[in-house]
């Protein structure tokens, strides 16, 4: 079968799809990935066939000024503002992809399109061209679990749906495949084929372990998208500064595009650039991060206790994940606005919490028992044949 994976933007939407694409390729299917041009190198590095379409999404200063909590904008807890900002952006991404993606679908004519859940161009074009489509969920299903999300999708994507003569249900695909850990998924999520979350955070090499210091090791990251959206690493700076006098080793992980913004390395601060998160987590006693879907799931699978400081630009998503992780006992929530003292107290508390460490290990073992992507991929294609 010909299977086209379609990605709307950024590594955070592409990386979770890679293990499923690998499994289908290993089963003998012809697999390609349609994506914005900026993702070309990452797609090629994954070993998959790259099909660039459309233009690259751009974050402008004006867009950054409308992020939650900036200027006169509402705080991150205002879901209506968060939803509008998110869907306004992804409507723009769909517009960039429509023409080129339509040509790919018409010329190559895949048997199935697997699209990241916000690749709205693929969802609508696949349905319009009568190609079976599968919605790929790598995080909580907002359309199923966030009040007002589907209505907002209809407002922002109404012109695309009406031009194609499609109902809102076209955005759901013919079926879904869901690799989001059940701990994080909404109870009202749309029906999908379940699969285990398999971490893929980009190509990389195993890092040689440094000399043991006897100090706990804490990984600090804001993922690969945060600085691209916000233009800064302010939360990371706050954490590193607050922990300067705490007896811990910090591993600071940043993407190459924000290396210039990273904190300065020191005898207790190591800066790692573009190293896959799953590799860095090995040997860490805790991870402090922003609550992005891929970061939460990768840490969950690794069994590392999490300290989640929800970020403004993904307020509803990171707030949801922080609360679910905290309730599970595998981590805790941190409000950076409470200041350096709260950061130090939270990190020291987590590092000394054996119950939390065991809970994180138990959650990882539970994830390993879920269906693998090989079986899920075969079930998915069988249902769409």
């Amino acid at each position: 079968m010909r299977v086209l994976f379609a990605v709307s933007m950024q590594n955070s939407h592409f990386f979770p799809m890679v293990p499923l694409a690998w499994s289908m390729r290993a089963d003998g299917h012809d697999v390609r990935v349609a994506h914005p041009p900026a993702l070309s190198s990452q797609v090629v590095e994954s070993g998959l066939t790259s099909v660039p379409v459309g233009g690259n999404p751009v974050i402008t200063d004006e867009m950054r000024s409308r992020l939650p909590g900036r200027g006169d904008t509402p705080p991150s807890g205002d879901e209506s503002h968060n939803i509008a900002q998110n869907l306004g952006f992804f409507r723009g991404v769909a517009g960039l992809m429509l023409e080129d993606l339509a040509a790919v679908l018409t010329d190559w004519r895949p048997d199935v399109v697997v699209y990241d859940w916000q690749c709205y161009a693929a969802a609508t074009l696949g349905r319009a061209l009568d190609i079976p489509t599968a919605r790929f969920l790598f995080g909580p299903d907002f359309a199923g679990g966030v009040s007002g999300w589907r209505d907002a999708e209809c407002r922002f994507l109404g012109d695309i749906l009406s031009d194609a003569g499609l109902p809102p249900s076209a955005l759901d695909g013919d079926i879904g495949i869901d690799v989001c850990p059940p701990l994080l998924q909404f109870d009202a999520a749309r029906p999908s084929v379940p699969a285990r979350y398999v971490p893929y955070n980009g190509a990389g090499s195993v890092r040689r372990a440094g000399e043991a210091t006897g100090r706990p090791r804490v990984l600090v990251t804001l993922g690969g998208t945060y600085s691209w959206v916000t233009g800064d690493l302010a939360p990371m700076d706050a954490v590193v500064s607050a922990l300067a006098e705490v007896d811990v080793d910090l591993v600071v992980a940043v993407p190459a595009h924000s290396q210039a913004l990273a904190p300065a390395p020191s005898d207790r601060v190591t800066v790692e650039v573009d190293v896959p998160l799953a590799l860095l987590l090995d040997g860490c006693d805790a991870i402090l991060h922003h609550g992005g879907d891929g970061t939460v799931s990768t840490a969950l699978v690794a069994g590392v206790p999490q300290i989640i400081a929800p970020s403004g630009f993904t307020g509803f998503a990171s707030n949801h994940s922080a609360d679910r992780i905290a309730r599970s006992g595998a981590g805790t929530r941190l409000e950076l606005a409470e200041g350096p003292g709260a950061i130090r107290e939270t990190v020291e508390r987590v590092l000394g919490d054996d119950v939390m460490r065991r809970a994180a290990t138990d959650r990882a073992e539970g994830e390993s028992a879920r269906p693998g992507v090989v079986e899920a991929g075969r079930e998915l294609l069988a249902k769409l044949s």
Side-chain angles (χ1 to χ4, degrees):
M1 296 179 69
R2 291 182 172 183
V3 183
L4 183 72
F5 283 72
V7 186
S8 58
M9 57 154 264
Q10 285 293 306
N11 294 337
S12 57
H13 286 238
F14 168 60
F15 285 167
M17 305 178 83
V18 170
L20 178 65
W22 281 343
S23 76
M24 291 183 177
R25 186 71 191 93
D27 260 352
H29 301 294
D30 189 352
V31 176
R32 300 183 183 183
V33 183
H35 58 84
L39 275 178
S40 294
S41 61
Q42 289 90 339
V43 175
V44 172
E45 285 172 0
S46 76
L48 297 169
T49 301
S50 164
V51 184
V53 294
N56 291 316
V58 175
I59 303 292
T60 65
D61 289 340
E62 192 274 333
M63 292 168 68
R64 286 177 175 144
S65 72
R66 299 199 306 271
L67 290 172
R70 294 195 175 189
D72 297 328
T73 60
S76 61
D78 186 319
E79 286 198 352
S80 62
H81 178 78
N82 293 333
I83 292 172
Q85 294 303 300
N86 179 289
L87 290 174
F89 178 78
F90 279 97
R91 167 60 184 85
V93 173
L96 292 172
M97 297 182 73
L98 280 169
E99 184 176 353
D100 284 0
L101 185 57
V104 170
L105 294 174
T106 301
D107 294 343
W108 193 53
R109 196 65 190 184
D111 299 293
V112 172
V113 174
V114 181
Y115 62 93
D116 96 58
W117 71 281
Q118 284 205 282
C119 191
Y120 295 119
T124 52
L125 285 169
R127 178 65 63 86
L129 294 171
D130 200 28
I131 300 172
T133 55
R135 175 191 72 254
F136 186 93
L137 281 171
F138 53 85
D141 184 6
F142 298 140
V146 175
S147 177
W149 185 276
R150 176 44 56 89
D151 290 341
E153 280 184 326
C154 291
R155 289 198 305 275
F156 280 92
L157 302 165
D159 60 328
I160 295 178
L161 290 167
S162 62
D163 287 349
L166 298 174
S169 60
L171 302 177
D172 297 329
D174 294 300
I175 195 172
I177 183 163
D178 185 1
V179 301
C180 177
L183 169 63
L184 305 174
Q185 191 54 274
F186 289 108
D187 295 337
R190 292 167 288 181
S192 300
V193 175
R196 182 187 318 153
Y197 183 89
V198 179
Y200 173 79
N201 318 114
S205 301
V206 175
R207 313 297 282 181
R208 185 174 181 180
E211 184 177 347
T213 66
R215 293 186 292 265
R217 183 180 298 172
V218 178
L219 177 58
V220 182
T221 184
L222 294 173
T225 303
Y226 182 92
S227 58
W228 179 70
V229 173
T230 66
D232 64 56
L233 290 174
M236 180 177 285
D237 294 334
V239 169
V240 172
S241 176
L243 298 178
E245 303 303 320
V246 179
D247 195 27
V248 297
D249 291 327
L250 298 181
V251 179
V252 175
V254 297
H257 63 74
S258 61
Q259 183 175 0
L261 301 172
S266 68
D267 61 337
R268 286 192 294 176
V269 177
T270 301
V271 178
E272 297 283 6
V273 180
D274 266 0
V275 179
L277 183 63
L279 297 181
L280 291 178
L281 280 167
D282 187 24
C284 286
D285 299 286
I287 177 173
L288 194 160
H289 62 89
H290 63 308
D293 293 332
T295 305
V296 176
S297 296
T298 299
L300 191 64
V301 169
V304 176
Q306 303 186 48
I307 303 169
I308 303 180
S311 69
F313 84 92
T314 58
F316 50 91
S318 53
N319 279 314
H320 168 81
S321 294
D323 290 342
R324 288 290 183 95
I325 290 293
R327 288 206 299 270
S328 77
T332 191
R333 181 183 176 118
L334 170 65
E335 302 297 341
L336 293 179
E338 294 180 3
I343 297 172
R344 288 191 291 270
E345 185 278 328
T346 302
V347 170
E348 290 173 338
R349 173 168 53 83
V350 168
L351 290 175
D353 193 334
D354 291 336
V355 174
M356 183 179 293
R357 190 173 301 109
R358 285 195 298 271
T361 300
D362 290 344
R363 289 293 177 180
E365 291 174 353
E367 281 302 305
S368 67
R370 298 187 70 215
V373 293
V374 174
E375 296 82 357
R378 290 170 181 167
E379 180 181 349
L380 180 76
L381 294 182
K383 289 178 179 292
L384 292 174
S385 297

